[in-house]
Amino acid sequence: MSGDQYGRYDQGFVMPPVPPMPVAPPPAPADGVRAVAVAVLNLSGLGLGYALVRRWVLMAACLAATAVLLFVALPADPDGVPGFALVLYVLFLVAVAAHGAVVGLRTRLAWPPSAPLALALGLVLLVAPAGGVVAYDGARDEATQQMLLDRLDQADRQVEAAGGRAFSSAQSDYREALEVYENLSADHPDSRAAAKVPARMKTYYATVGAAYEKGDYCEAIAPLDYLRTVPKKMPETDLSDLKTWPDDRLATSLYECASDGLTSGQSTWAAQFGELLSTFPDSAPAAKVEPAVGSAVSAKVKGLSGSDPCTAVEQLKTLSGQIQTISAEDGSVTGALAKDADRASVSAASGTYNCGVDQYKDGDFDKAQTTMEEYASAHKSAKNAALAKKIAIAAEIAQTVPAAGKKLPTTRSGGSISVTVQNDSPDDITVMYTGPVTGSFKLKGCGSCKTYSFADTLSIGFKPCNANRNYPERTISLPVGTTYFLHKPNGDSLASPASDTAKLEPGYIYTECAYTTTSLS
């Protein structure tokens, strides 16, 4: 067969058309169970719903949001998660759940193949965030307990530090610590810290009232007074027998401090005795108040016959006034104390005489005169009233003639020597004399007499009270010895007192002349 027998047949082969590749898998039929499953899985906060439909970026966003929440929430704080953060996170979960439901409605699951199984898995996984909430609440409660225990510990340290200082400077710290104890008991009664408050209050009372145990009774009064106010702030169950703990201690402190002050002359003892009688009238210390006061009055009375009667007089006057300020709860001074006040007052008045004598002997004639004049005026019927007048006269003379005060006057009167005193002065005068006897009398002014000039007294032959005139006069009888005279103008005369010293001897008749002169100025 020749090559011609075989011809070449060249006919082109046409491939059938290839359909285009789809851009994404065809949407699955709508499945409500699947949509709910994706939504529920997203509510776990881990984006697991997005994982099952292969939305990895959105899953990562869910994980990031949950990580931020954990960063904000942990470690657990007594205040919990900030409200704004929690609201934002809940809104985020609602959003991703809603979005996951839309996506899962027509998107096949990568795993598991069954939508009901995925839904069941989502419901199971919801236990995790619920358990996390429970665990977080427990952690937050524990954090709260620790915070309250820290507050308790801080208050304990504050009380301990305050115990090393005086109450006046530590009181504010005690009050702050008490507020902590009070708040723990009132606001957190079921906390572990509140359960420890009753024991802490025992330490609190012992620390605040430590001055009493040391025997510093005066220092103990203020803190014990303060402790009596504590029951008004604290629940009674936290105090138990501490409520009356300060009472006996305060009563004892008031008595002991006041007793020391009464003895040493402090000014606060009367107020402290008054507080004792008003606050604890039936206590044993209150029963000892009047005997203590009575003993103090007796001791001061003895001082009237001692070396310093004037001081004793002043102390008795002060004591009488202070006793009258000691009042019972109804505001009245008890009968026994009132008698003590009267006894102190009467003793002070009668002791004034001894004081005047002591002043006279010490040469303090000005004070002696005042003291004796006051005594004689206030005790006209007293047995020493007459002698007090004589001592006052002698003290006044001694202020001009100191020698007149060398001896204390007596009640002696009269004598064998006649002395006539004439007044050659236009002024009414008082004539005072002291020596073996002491006394005084007044003379009227001489109407026809004048006041002499200083030049008159220097002229030759100057002699007042001459025999050619009649003068107001008085004759007295005096004993032998030296008598000191003082002529003092009465009324508002500006003339100065004049003095004279007469040595009286038997067998003579003496004349004493009083006159006034004008000064050179």
Side-chain angles (χ1 to χ4, degrees), residues 80 88 114 124 162 165 247 301 329 342 376 398 413 474 491 502:
L88 289 177
S114 172
V124 171
R165 308 198 310 272
D247 292 353
V301 170
E329 189 172 4
D342 289 342
S413 63
R474 181 171 175 176

Side-chain angles (χ1 to χ4, degrees), residues 93-147:
L93 289 182
V94 172
V96 298
H99 182 259
V102 173
V103 173
L105 181 65
R106 293 185 179 277
T107 304
R108 298 180 187 279
L109 301 177
W111 183 92
S114 172
L117 180 60
L119 177 59
L121 178 62
L123 293 175
V124 171
L125 289 177
L126 283 181
V127 175
V133 171
V134 174
Y136 182 79
D137 286 342
R140 191 178 71 171
D141 288 342
E142 180 60 25
T144 300
Q145 293 286 349
Q146 289 298 325
M147 178 192 69

